[in-house]
Amino acid sequence: GGEPCILGQANDITERKRAGEAYRESEQRHRLALQIGQIGAFEVDLESGRATWTPKLAEIWGIPDNFTGDFAAFCWEHVFPEDLARISEEFGRLVENREDGEMEFRIIRTDGVMRWIRWWGQAIEDTAKGSLRILGVNMDITERKRAEEELRTHREHLEELVAERTAELAVARDAAEAANQAKSEFLAMMSHELRTPLNGILGYAQILTRAGGLSTQQAQGLQIIQQSGEHLLTLINDILDLAKIEARKLELARTDLHLPTFLQDILGACRPRAEQKGLSFVYEAATDLPTGIRADEQRLRQVALNLLGNAIKFTEHGSVTLRVSYELRVMSSEFEGSQLKTHNSKLITHNLCTLRFEVLDTGVGISSGDLARIFHPFEQVGAARQRTEGTGLGLAISQRLLQLMGSAIQVESQLGVGSRFWFELLAPLVADVVAAPLPPARPISGYTGPRRTILVVDDNPQNRAVLVDLLAPLGFGLLEAADGRAGVAQAQAVRLDLILMDLRLPVMTGVEATRAIRQLPELQGVVIIATSASVFDADR
C-alpha cells in the first residue's frame, strides 16, 4: 500500500463568476428600468409556475402586496369573461409557435374595477433547463379606450346629426324648388295678366290717335293715356325683370349686333329728352369702333338707356355725355369654348374687344354715403320730386344684368358737381353684320296688291278687338276665333294669308292648334305668327 494522497483539479471560474454577476446586475438594472419607467413587466415559468412582476403590473392588475399564489391562475381568473375565449386562443398560439404577440383585452381587478390592458409577450424556450418562460409587459390603456369610445360615440352622434341635417336640407331643397316653381308660375301668370290689359290701353291709345279728328283736349288726354301706360309698362317690366333675376330665370340671348346702329338708336331715344330740358347732349366715340359684336342687344340697350336716363333725370343744367371706346383683346380658349362655338356666325378669329361705356353728367351728384345704396333694389336718392319718378329698380337691375355678362357698373360722383358711371364689356368681334332696316318715315296707311285675309285667334275679346281695329283700316280682311279648335276650323273653311295665334287658349292651345294646321296639306304655306303677353324664354 502506498501512502494516501489527495488528488484534485483546480479550474479558474473567474469569468463564469463575472458573467453571473454581470447577468444579475443586468437583470437588476432591467428591473430598475422597468420600475422607473412605470411599465408593468412580468416573467412566468410555465413549468414551475414561478413568476416575478413589477409593482406597476401589480397596480394594473390589482395584485395584493402579500400575494403568494399562482400568478398565471390569478391573471386568467381576472380576464373579462367575454374576452377569455379570444385571449386563450391567441395565448395558446403564442406558446405553441414559440413566438411573440400582443393583445388588447379587459380585466376585472380585485376591487371590481374594469380596466383595458395592452399585453405584449414572448415565449422563450430554455432547452438546457427544459423550461418555457413567458416574458412580457402590460400597459393600462383604459383612458385611451375611453377616449376612443367617446370619439366613436361623438362620431356616431355627428353622423346622426349629419343624416338629420341632410334630411332637413333635402326637405328645404324640395320646399325651395317648389317655391321657385310656384314663383316662376306666379311670374308667368302676372306677366301675362298685367300685360293683357296694358295691351288694350296702349293699343287703343294708338288707334284713336291715328284716327284723327280729335280736339286739342282729346289729343292731350290720349297722349297722357299713352305716356301713363308706357310708364306703367316700364314699372311692370322692371319688377318682373328683378323677380326673374332673383329666381335665376333670366337668361342672356347673345346675337350679332350692328354697333353703329345700336348706338344711334340709343342716341335717338335720349337726345330729345335731354334737349327738352335744355341740356347739351354730347356723344364722343372712338373713330374706329368695331362694326359687329356679339352681345345681348336688348339687355345692353336696357343698361345704357337706364344710365343715360338717370343722367338726364338728375341733371337740371349743363350737359350729359355718352362716351364709347374700345380695346382689342386676344381670345382665350375658355371664352372660345364656352361661348363662341355655340353660335353659327362669322367670328373674326382670335379677336375680342373690351367696349367701355361712360355716362357723364353735371347733375346733382351723389354723396359718398349714398353711393353704396344706389344699387340696392327700391333704393332712391336725390330730391323728393326726382325720387318719385320710378321704382328705384333701374340701377339694381342694370348691375345684375351686367354681372350676368361678366361686368359691373362703376361710379364716381361729387355732390353738387356731377357723376360718372361706366362699365366695360368683353365681347367677340363679328364680321359682316348688316344693319337692321330703318323703320318707315311715316305711319303705314295701307298696302298694295290683292286683299289679304288675317285670322286673329285669341280668347281675350279686348286683345282681338285691338288687333282687328289696328289692321282693318289698312285694308285687311279680319276673322276671329276665341279658342284653338275654332281657329283650326276657321283656317280650314276660309283661305287665309296670315294667322295671329295666341299661345294660351282654351280647348286647344296655340301650339296644339298650330301643329294641327301644319298637318293639313292645303294650309302648309299659310304664315302663322305667335302672339302672347308672356315674355319668358320658355314661352318664346
PDB file of all heavy atoms in Angstrom, residues 218-252:
ATOM      1  N   GLN A 218    -108.814 116.305 -76.371  1.00  0.00           N
ATOM      2  CA  GLN A 218    -108.822 114.852 -76.573  1.00  0.00           C
ATOM      3  C   GLN A 218    -107.438 114.324 -76.934  1.00  0.00           C
ATOM      4  O   GLN A 218    -107.013 113.280 -76.440  1.00  0.00           O
ATOM      5  CB  GLN A 218    -109.830 114.493 -77.669  1.00  0.00           C
ATOM      6  CG  GLN A 218    -111.272 114.708 -77.270  1.00  0.00           C
ATOM      7  CD  GLN A 218    -112.227 114.527 -78.434  1.00  0.00           C
ATOM      8  OE1 GLN A 218    -111.861 114.769 -79.603  1.00  0.00           O
ATOM      9  NE2 GLN A 218    -113.465 114.141 -78.124  1.00  0.00           N
ATOM     10  N   ALA A 219    -106.741 115.050 -77.778  1.00  0.00           N
ATOM     11  CA  ALA A 219    -105.396 114.617 -78.169  1.00  0.00           C
ATOM     12  C   ALA A 219    -104.458 114.613 -76.972  1.00  0.00           C
ATOM     13  O   ALA A 219    -103.649 113.690 -76.800  1.00  0.00           O
ATOM     14  CB  ALA A 219    -104.846 115.535 -79.264  1.00  0.00           C
ATOM     15  N   GLN A 220    -104.576 115.648 -76.139  1.00  0.00           N
ATOM     16  CA  GLN A 220    -103.744 115.700 -74.948  1.00  0.00           C
ATOM     17  C   GLN A 220    -104.098 114.564 -73.979  1.00  0.00           C
ATOM     18  O   GLN A 220    -103.227 113.955 -73.356  1.00  0.00           O
ATOM     19  CB  GLN A 220    -103.905 117.052 -74.251  1.00  0.00           C
ATOM     20  CG  GLN A 220    -103.288 118.212 -75.016  1.00  0.00           C
ATOM     21  CD  GLN A 220    -103.572 119.558 -74.363  1.00  0.00           C
ATOM     22  OE1 GLN A 220    -104.460 119.679 -73.508  1.00  0.00           O
ATOM     23  NE2 GLN A 220    -102.842 120.589 -74.796  1.00  0.00           N
ATOM     24  N   GLY A 221    -105.396 114.277 -73.858  1.00  0.00           N
ATOM     25  CA  GLY A 221    -105.820 113.183 -72.987  1.00  0.00           C
ATOM     26  C   GLY A 221    -105.281 111.850 -73.458  1.00  0.00           C
ATOM     27  O   GLY A 221    -104.816 111.021 -72.658  1.00  0.00           O
ATOM     28  N   LEU A 222    -105.333 111.615 -74.777  1.00  0.00           N
ATOM     29  CA  LEU A 222    -104.791 110.361 -75.314  1.00  0.00           C
ATOM     30  C   LEU A 222    -103.279 110.281 -75.105  1.00  0.00           C
ATOM     31  O   LEU A 222    -102.735 109.199 -74.855  1.00  0.00           O
ATOM     32  CB  LEU A 222    -105.119 110.260 -76.810  1.00  0.00           C
ATOM     33  CG  LEU A 222    -106.537 109.812 -77.153  1.00  0.00           C
ATOM     34  CD1 LEU A 222    -106.739 109.849 -78.660  1.00  0.00           C
ATOM     35  CD2 LEU A 222    -106.777 108.407 -76.619  1.00  0.00           C
ATOM     36  N   GLN A 223    -102.623 111.426 -75.231  1.00  0.00           N
ATOM     37  CA  GLN A 223    -101.172 111.435 -75.000  1.00  0.00           C
ATOM     38  C   GLN A 223    -100.853 111.067 -73.550  1.00  0.00           C
ATOM     39  O   GLN A 223     -99.909 110.316 -73.283  1.00  0.00           O
ATOM     40  CB  GLN A 223    -100.596 112.814 -75.332  1.00  0.00           C
ATOM     41  CG  GLN A 223     -99.073 112.852 -75.260  1.00  0.00           C
ATOM     42  CD  GLN A 223     -98.526 114.226 -75.641  1.00  0.00           C
ATOM     43  OE1 GLN A 223     -99.274 115.185 -75.800  1.00  0.00           O
ATOM     44  NE2 GLN A 223     -97.209 114.307 -75.791  1.00  0.00           N
ATOM     45  N   ILE A 224    -101.680 111.563 -72.616  1.00  0.00           N
ATOM     46  CA  ILE A 224    -101.477 111.218 -71.200  1.00  0.00           C
ATOM     47  C   ILE A 224    -101.718 109.722 -70.985  1.00  0.00           C
ATOM     48  O   ILE A 224    -100.971 109.050 -70.265  1.00  0.00           O
ATOM     49  CB  ILE A 224    -102.419 112.057 -70.313  1.00  0.00           C
ATOM     50  CG1 ILE A 224    -101.979 113.527 -70.334  1.00  0.00           C
ATOM     51  CG2 ILE A 224    -102.423 111.522 -68.876  1.00  0.00           C
ATOM     52  CD1 ILE A 224    -102.950 114.458 -69.626  1.00  0.00           C
ATOM     53  N   ILE A 225    -102.781 109.193 -71.630  1.00  0.00           N
ATOM     54  CA  ILE A 225    -103.045 107.760 -71.526  1.00  0.00           C
ATOM     55  C   ILE A 225    -101.854 106.954 -72.050  1.00  0.00           C
ATOM     56  O   ILE A 225    -101.410 105.980 -71.438  1.00  0.00           O
ATOM     57  CB  ILE A 225    -104.335 107.393 -72.291  1.00  0.00           C
ATOM     58  CG1 ILE A 225    -105.549 108.001 -71.598  1.00  0.00           C
ATOM     59  CG2 ILE A 225    -104.484 105.877 -72.407  1.00  0.00           C
ATOM     60  CD1 ILE A 225    -106.842 107.820 -72.362  1.00  0.00           C
ATOM     61  N   GLN A 226    -101.339 107.380 -73.214  1.00  0.00           N
ATOM     62  CA  GLN A 226    -100.202 106.686 -73.829  1.00  0.00           C
ATOM     63  C   GLN A 226     -98.976 106.738 -72.925  1.00  0.00           C
ATOM     64  O   GLN A 226     -98.327 105.715 -72.668  1.00  0.00           O
ATOM     65  CB  GLN A 226     -99.884 107.325 -75.185  1.00  0.00           C
ATOM     66  CG  GLN A 226     -98.703 106.716 -75.925  1.00  0.00           C
ATOM     67  CD  GLN A 226     -99.083 105.438 -76.638  1.00  0.00           C
ATOM     68  OE1 GLN A 226    -100.249 105.256 -77.001  1.00  0.00           O
ATOM     69  NE2 GLN A 226     -98.119 104.551 -76.837  1.00  0.00           N
ATOM     70  N   GLN A 227     -98.653 107.916 -72.429  1.00  0.00           N
ATOM     71  CA  GLN A 227     -97.460 108.063 -71.584  1.00  0.00           C
ATOM     72  C   GLN A 227     -97.617 107.307 -70.269  1.00  0.00           C
ATOM     73  O   GLN A 227     -96.676 106.656 -69.795  1.00  0.00           O
ATOM     74  CB  GLN A 227     -97.200 109.548 -71.320  1.00  0.00           C
ATOM     75  CG  GLN A 227     -96.742 110.318 -72.552  1.00  0.00           C
ATOM     76  CD  GLN A 227     -96.653 111.819 -72.299  1.00  0.00           C
ATOM     77  OE1 GLN A 227     -97.165 112.329 -71.285  1.00  0.00           O
ATOM     78  NE2 GLN A 227     -96.024 112.534 -73.222  1.00  0.00           N
ATOM     79  N   SER A 228     -98.786 107.383 -69.669  1.00  0.00           N
ATOM     80  CA  SER A 228     -99.027 106.692 -68.400  1.00  0.00           C
ATOM     81  C   SER A 228     -98.954 105.175 -68.594  1.00  0.00           C
ATOM     82  O   SER A 228     -98.401 104.451 -67.761  1.00  0.00           O
ATOM     83  CB  SER A 228    -100.391 107.076 -67.819  1.00  0.00           C
ATOM     84  OG  SER A 228    -100.444 108.466 -67.553  1.00  0.00           O
ATOM     85  N   GLY A 229     -99.528 104.725 -69.704  1.00  0.00           N
ATOM     86  CA  GLY A 229     -99.467 103.286 -69.985  1.00  0.00           C
ATOM     87  C   GLY A 229     -98.047 102.810 -70.201  1.00  0.00           C
ATOM     88  O   GLY A 229     -97.653 101.738 -69.725  1.00  0.00           O
ATOM     89  N   GLU A 230     -97.267 103.600 -70.943  1.00  0.00           N
ATOM     90  CA  GLU A 230     -95.879 103.214 -71.182  1.00  0.00           C
ATOM     91  C   GLU A 230     -95.075 103.235 -69.877  1.00  0.00           C
ATOM     92  O   GLU A 230     -94.201 102.382 -69.652  1.00  0.00           O
ATOM     93  CB  GLU A 230     -95.257 104.151 -72.216  1.00  0.00           C
ATOM     94  CG  GLU A 230     -95.803 103.935 -73.627  1.00  0.00           C
ATOM     95  CD  GLU A 230     -95.260 104.939 -74.626  1.00  0.00           C
ATOM     96  OE1 GLU A 230     -94.569 105.881 -74.175  1.00  0.00           O
ATOM     97  OE2 GLU A 230     -95.528 104.781 -75.834  1.00  0.00           O
ATOM     98  N   HIS A 231     -95.370 104.220 -69.012  1.00  0.00           N
ATOM     99  CA  HIS A 231     -94.689 104.281 -67.724  1.00  0.00           C
ATOM    100  C   HIS A 231     -95.048 103.055 -66.880  1.00  0.00           C
ATOM    101  O   HIS A 231     -94.176 102.435 -66.252  1.00  0.00           O
ATOM    102  CB  HIS A 231     -95.074 105.562 -66.982  1.00  0.00           C
ATOM    103  CG  HIS A 231     -94.400 105.722 -65.650  1.00  0.00           C
ATOM    104  ND1 HIS A 231     -93.035 105.805 -65.507  1.00  0.00           N
ATOM    105  CD2 HIS A 231     -94.916 105.790 -64.390  1.00  0.00           C
ATOM    106  CE1 HIS A 231     -92.726 105.938 -64.216  1.00  0.00           C
ATOM    107  NE2 HIS A 231     -93.860 105.921 -63.522  1.00  0.00           N
ATOM    108  N   LEU A 232     -96.321 102.702 -66.876  1.00  0.00           N
ATOM    109  CA  LEU A 232     -96.752 101.524 -66.133  1.00  0.00           C
ATOM    110  C   LEU A 232     -96.105 100.262 -66.695  1.00  0.00           C
ATOM    111  O   LEU A 232     -95.684  99.371 -65.940  1.00  0.00           O
ATOM    112  CB  LEU A 232     -98.280 101.412 -66.186  1.00  0.00           C
ATOM    113  CG  LEU A 232     -98.907 100.252 -65.410  1.00  0.00           C
ATOM    114  CD1 LEU A 232     -98.523 100.307 -63.943  1.00  0.00           C
ATOM    115  CD2 LEU A 232    -100.424 100.265 -65.574  1.00  0.00           C
ATOM    116  N   LEU A 233     -95.990 100.200 -68.008  1.00  0.00           N
ATOM    117  CA  LEU A 233     -95.350  99.036 -68.629  1.00  0.00           C
ATOM    118  C   LEU A 233     -93.880  98.950 -68.214  1.00  0.00           C
ATOM    119  O   LEU A 233     -93.355  97.853 -67.965  1.00  0.00           O
ATOM    120  CB  LEU A 233     -95.474  99.126 -70.149  1.00  0.00           C
ATOM    121  CG  LEU A 233     -94.887  97.955 -70.949  1.00  0.00           C
ATOM    122  CD1 LEU A 233     -95.561  96.650 -70.564  1.00  0.00           C
ATOM    123  CD2 LEU A 233     -95.010  98.211 -72.448  1.00  0.00           C
ATOM    124  N   THR A 234     -93.220 100.102 -68.130  1.00  0.00           N
ATOM    125  CA  THR A 234     -91.817 100.110 -67.692  1.00  0.00           C
ATOM    126  C   THR A 234     -91.697  99.603 -66.256  1.00  0.00           C
ATOM    127  O   THR A 234     -90.799  98.809 -65.944  1.00  0.00           O
ATOM    128  CB  THR A 234     -91.245 101.541 -67.783  1.00  0.00           C
ATOM    129  OG1 THR A 234     -91.316 101.982 -69.135  1.00  0.00           O
ATOM    130  CG2 THR A 234     -89.797 101.566 -67.311  1.00  0.00           C
ATOM    131  N   LEU A 235     -92.583 100.049 -65.375  1.00  0.00           N
ATOM    132  CA  LEU A 235     -92.548  99.588 -63.989  1.00  0.00           C
ATOM    133  C   LEU A 235     -92.774  98.082 -63.914  1.00  0.00           C
ATOM    134  O   LEU A 235     -92.097  97.372 -63.167  1.00  0.00           O
ATOM    135  CB  LEU A 235     -93.612 100.319 -63.163  1.00  0.00           C
ATOM    136  CG  LEU A 235     -93.497 101.847 -63.071  1.00  0.00           C
ATOM    137  CD1 LEU A 235     -94.555 102.394 -62.126  1.00  0.00           C
ATOM    138  CD2 LEU A 235     -92.116 102.268 -62.606  1.00  0.00           C
ATOM    139  N   ILE A 236     -93.753  97.589 -64.671  1.00  0.00           N
ATOM    140  CA  ILE A 236     -94.034  96.147 -64.676  1.00  0.00           C
ATOM    141  C   ILE A 236     -92.828  95.373 -65.188  1.00  0.00           C
ATOM    142  O   ILE A 236     -92.437  94.338 -64.627  1.00  0.00           O
ATOM    143  CB  ILE A 236     -95.286  95.851 -65.520  1.00  0.00           C
ATOM    144  CG1 ILE A 236     -96.523  96.425 -64.834  1.00  0.00           C
ATOM    145  CG2 ILE A 236     -95.444  94.353 -65.762  1.00  0.00           C
ATOM    146  CD1 ILE A 236     -97.776  96.372 -65.685  1.00  0.00           C
ATOM    147  N   ASN A 237     -92.230  95.881 -66.260  1.00  0.00           N
ATOM    148  CA  ASN A 237     -91.048  95.209 -66.805  1.00  0.00           C
ATOM    149  C   ASN A 237     -89.920  95.150 -65.779  1.00  0.00           C
ATOM    150  O   ASN A 237     -89.244  94.123 -65.630  1.00  0.00           O
ATOM    151  CB  ASN A 237     -90.564  95.937 -68.065  1.00  0.00           C
ATOM    152  CG  ASN A 237     -91.468  95.697 -69.253  1.00  0.00           C
ATOM    153  OD1 ASN A 237     -92.222  94.733 -69.277  1.00  0.00           O
ATOM    154  ND2 ASN A 237     -91.383  96.564 -70.243  1.00  0.00           N
ATOM    155  N   ASP A 238     -89.711  96.278 -65.063  1.00  0.00           N
ATOM    156  CA  ASP A 238     -88.643  96.310 -64.058  1.00  0.00           C
ATOM    157  C   ASP A 238     -88.891  95.299 -62.952  1.00  0.00           C
ATOM    158  O   ASP A 238     -87.996  94.551 -62.546  1.00  0.00           O
ATOM    159  CB  ASP A 238     -88.520  97.720 -63.457  1.00  0.00           C
ATOM    160  CG  ASP A 238     -87.836  98.695 -64.393  1.00  0.00           C
ATOM    161  OD1 ASP A 238     -87.263  98.233 -65.399  1.00  0.00           O
ATOM    162  OD2 ASP A 238     -87.871  99.910 -64.131  1.00  0.00           O
ATOM    163  N   ILE A 239     -90.105  95.271 -62.435  1.00  0.00           N
ATOM    164  CA  ILE A 239     -90.424  94.358 -61.332  1.00  0.00           C
ATOM    165  C   ILE A 239     -90.293  92.901 -61.782  1.00  0.00           C
ATOM    166  O   ILE A 239     -89.729  92.057 -61.087  1.00  0.00           O
ATOM    167  CB  ILE A 239     -91.847  94.643 -60.799  1.00  0.00           C
ATOM    168  CG1 ILE A 239     -91.875  96.022 -60.128  1.00  0.00           C
ATOM    169  CG2 ILE A 239     -92.289  93.568 -59.815  1.00  0.00           C
ATOM    170  CD1 ILE A 239     -93.259  96.513 -59.784  1.00  0.00           C
ATOM    171  N   LEU A 240     -90.771  92.599 -62.979  1.00  0.00           N
ATOM    172  CA  LEU A 240     -90.671  91.230 -63.484  1.00  0.00           C
ATOM    173  C   LEU A 240     -89.227  90.853 -63.778  1.00  0.00           C
ATOM    174  O   LEU A 240     -88.812  89.717 -63.532  1.00  0.00           O
ATOM    175  CB  LEU A 240     -91.538  91.067 -64.734  1.00  0.00           C
ATOM    176  CG  LEU A 240     -93.047  91.111 -64.495  1.00  0.00           C
ATOM    177  CD1 LEU A 240     -93.799  91.092 -65.817  1.00  0.00           C
ATOM    178  CD2 LEU A 240     -93.489  89.947 -63.624  1.00  0.00           C
ATOM    179  N   ASP A 241     -88.444  91.808 -64.288  1.00  0.00           N
ATOM    180  CA  ASP A 241     -87.021  91.534 -64.538  1.00  0.00           C
ATOM    181  C   ASP A 241     -86.302  91.191 -63.239  1.00  0.00           C
ATOM    182  O   ASP A 241     -85.539  90.219 -63.175  1.00  0.00           O
ATOM    183  CB  ASP A 241     -86.352  92.751 -65.189  1.00  0.00           C
ATOM    184  CG  ASP A 241     -86.502  92.751 -66.697  1.00  0.00           C
ATOM    185  OD1 ASP A 241     -86.920  91.713 -67.243  1.00  0.00           O
ATOM    186  OD2 ASP A 241     -86.190  93.773 -67.327  1.00  0.00           O
ATOM    187  N   LEU A 242     -86.534  92.005 -62.202  1.00  0.00           N
ATOM    188  CA  LEU A 242     -85.878  91.747 -60.927  1.00  0.00           C
ATOM    189  C   LEU A 242     -86.309  90.396 -60.369  1.00  0.00           C
ATOM    190  O   LEU A 242     -85.482  89.628 -59.856  1.00  0.00           O
ATOM    191  CB  LEU A 242     -86.216  92.857 -59.931  1.00  0.00           C
ATOM    192  CG  LEU A 242     -85.514  92.746 -58.566  1.00  0.00           C
ATOM    193  CD1 LEU A 242     -84.012  92.884 -58.725  1.00  0.00           C
ATOM    194  CD2 LEU A 242     -86.041  93.796 -57.601  1.00  0.00           C
ATOM    195  N   ALA A 243     -87.575  90.084 -60.464  1.00  0.00           N
ATOM    196  CA  ALA A 243     -88.065  88.799 -59.964  1.00  0.00           C
ATOM    197  C   ALA A 243     -87.442  87.644 -60.740  1.00  0.00           C
ATOM    198  O   ALA A 243     -87.075  86.613 -60.162  1.00  0.00           O
ATOM    199  CB  ALA A 243     -89.587  88.748 -60.051  1.00  0.00           C
ATOM    200  N   LYS A 244     -87.315  87.790 -62.057  1.00  0.00           N
ATOM    201  CA  LYS A 244     -86.702  86.729 -62.860  1.00  0.00           C
ATOM    202  C   LYS A 244     -85.229  86.553 -62.507  1.00  0.00           C
ATOM    203  O   LYS A 244     -84.722  85.435 -62.449  1.00  0.00           O
ATOM    204  CB  LYS A 244     -86.855  87.044 -64.351  1.00  0.00           C
ATOM    205  CG  LYS A 244     -88.236  86.783 -64.892  1.00  0.00           C
ATOM    206  CD  LYS A 244     -88.268  86.767 -66.409  1.00  0.00           C
ATOM    207  CE  LYS A 244     -88.081  88.151 -66.992  1.00  0.00           C
ATOM    208  NZ  LYS A 244     -88.218  88.146 -68.460  1.00  0.00           N
ATOM    209  N   ILE A 245     -84.534  87.668 -62.269  1.00  0.00           N
ATOM    210  CA  ILE A 245     -83.124  87.580 -61.891  1.00  0.00           C
ATOM    211  C   ILE A 245     -82.984  86.859 -60.556  1.00  0.00           C
ATOM    212  O   ILE A 245     -82.151  85.965 -60.395  1.00  0.00           O
ATOM    213  CB  ILE A 245     -82.492  88.981 -61.823  1.00  0.00           C
ATOM    214  CG1 ILE A 245     -82.383  89.588 -63.227  1.00  0.00           C
ATOM    215  CG2 ILE A 245     -81.102  88.921 -61.174  1.00  0.00           C
ATOM    216  CD1 ILE A 245     -81.976  91.049 -63.241  1.00  0.00           C
ATOM    217  N   GLU A 246     -83.818  87.240 -59.586  1.00  0.00           N
ATOM    218  CA  GLU A 246     -83.737  86.612 -58.265  1.00  0.00           C
ATOM    219  C   GLU A 246     -84.114  85.144 -58.328  1.00  0.00           C
ATOM    220  O   GLU A 246     -83.590  84.329 -57.562  1.00  0.00           O
ATOM    221  CB  GLU A 246     -84.649  87.349 -57.279  1.00  0.00           C
ATOM    222  CG  GLU A 246     -84.136  88.740 -56.917  1.00  0.00           C
ATOM    223  CD  GLU A 246     -85.034  89.451 -55.930  1.00  0.00           C
ATOM    224  OE1 GLU A 246     -86.189  89.007 -55.757  1.00  0.00           O
ATOM    225  OE2 GLU A 246     -84.571  90.438 -55.327  1.00  0.00           O
ATOM    226  N   ALA A 247     -85.005  84.770 -59.205  1.00  0.00           N
ATOM    227  CA  ALA A 247     -85.399  83.369 -59.361  1.00  0.00           C
ATOM    228  C   ALA A 247     -84.477  82.616 -60.306  1.00  0.00           C
ATOM    229  O   ALA A 247     -84.695  81.447 -60.583  1.00  0.00           O
ATOM    230  CB  ALA A 247     -86.840  83.292 -59.876  1.00  0.00           C
ATOM    231  N   ARG A 248     -83.431  83.295 -60.780  1.00  0.00           N
ATOM    232  CA  ARG A 248     -82.457  82.722 -61.728  1.00  0.00           C
ATOM    233  C   ARG A 248     -83.145  82.197 -62.985  1.00  0.00           C
ATOM    234  O   ARG A 248     -82.787  81.165 -63.527  1.00  0.00           O
ATOM    235  CB  ARG A 248     -81.656  81.592 -61.064  1.00  0.00           C
ATOM    236  CG  ARG A 248     -80.759  82.071 -59.926  1.00  0.00           C
ATOM    237  CD  ARG A 248     -79.893  80.930 -59.412  1.00  0.00           C
ATOM    238  NE  ARG A 248     -78.964  81.402 -58.398  1.00  0.00           N
ATOM    239  CZ  ARG A 248     -79.217  81.411 -57.102  1.00  0.00           C
ATOM    240  NH1 ARG A 248     -80.380  80.980 -56.672  1.00  0.00           N
ATOM    241  NH2 ARG A 248     -78.325  81.829 -56.220  1.00  0.00           N
ATOM    242  N   LYS A 249     -84.158  82.925 -63.427  1.00  0.00           N
ATOM    243  CA  LYS A 249     -84.883  82.542 -64.628  1.00  0.00           C
ATOM    244  C   LYS A 249     -84.525  83.424 -65.823  1.00  0.00           C
ATOM    245  O   LYS A 249     -85.038  83.207 -66.913  1.00  0.00           O
ATOM    246  CB  LYS A 249     -86.396  82.635 -64.366  1.00  0.00           C
ATOM    247  CG  LYS A 249     -86.908  81.659 -63.324  1.00  0.00           C
ATOM    248  CD  LYS A 249     -86.743  80.217 -63.758  1.00  0.00           C
ATOM    249  CE  LYS A 249     -87.294  79.261 -62.731  1.00  0.00           C
ATOM    250  NZ  LYS A 249     -87.106  77.850 -63.120  1.00  0.00           N
ATOM    251  N   LEU A 250     -83.668  84.406 -65.597  1.00  0.00           N
ATOM    252  CA  LEU A 250     -83.315  85.302 -66.690  1.00  0.00           C
ATOM    253  C   LEU A 250     -82.056  84.790 -67.389  1.00  0.00           C
ATOM    254  O   LEU A 250     -81.033  84.554 -66.749  1.00  0.00           O
ATOM    255  CB  LEU A 250     -83.091  86.725 -66.168  1.00  0.00           C
ATOM    256  CG  LEU A 250     -82.983  87.806 -67.252  1.00  0.00           C
ATOM    257  CD1 LEU A 250     -83.615  89.098 -66.772  1.00  0.00           C
ATOM    258  CD2 LEU A 250     -81.532  88.058 -67.644  1.00  0.00           C
ATOM    259  N   GLU A 251     -82.146  84.595 -68.685  1.00  0.00           N
ATOM    260  CA  GLU A 251     -81.013  84.127 -69.468  1.00  0.00           C
ATOM    261  C   GLU A 251     -80.679  85.152 -70.546  1.00  0.00           C
ATOM    262  O   GLU A 251     -81.573  85.794 -71.102  1.00  0.00           O
ATOM    263  CB  GLU A 251     -81.325  82.777 -70.114  1.00  0.00           C
ATOM    264  CG  GLU A 251     -81.562  81.656 -69.106  1.00  0.00           C
ATOM    265  CD  GLU A 251     -81.858  80.338 -69.785  1.00  0.00           C
ATOM    266  OE1 GLU A 251     -81.888  80.322 -71.042  1.00  0.00           O
ATOM    267  OE2 GLU A 251     -82.070  79.337 -69.082  1.00  0.00           O
ATOM    268  N   LEU A 252     -79.397  85.287 -70.823  1.00  0.00           N
ATOM    269  CA  LEU A 252     -78.962  86.212 -71.873  1.00  0.00           C
ATOM    270  C   LEU A 252     -79.176  85.592 -73.245  1.00  0.00           C
ATOM    271  O   LEU A 252     -79.045  84.380 -73.421  1.00  0.00           O
ATOM    272  CB  LEU A 252     -77.489  86.569 -71.675  1.00  0.00           C
ATOM    273  CG  LEU A 252     -77.134  87.280 -70.360  1.00  0.00           C
ATOM    274  CD1 LEU A 252     -75.638  87.535 -70.295  1.00  0.00           C
ATOM    275  CD2 LEU A 252     -77.904  88.583 -70.213  1.00  0.00           C
TER     276      LEU A 252
END
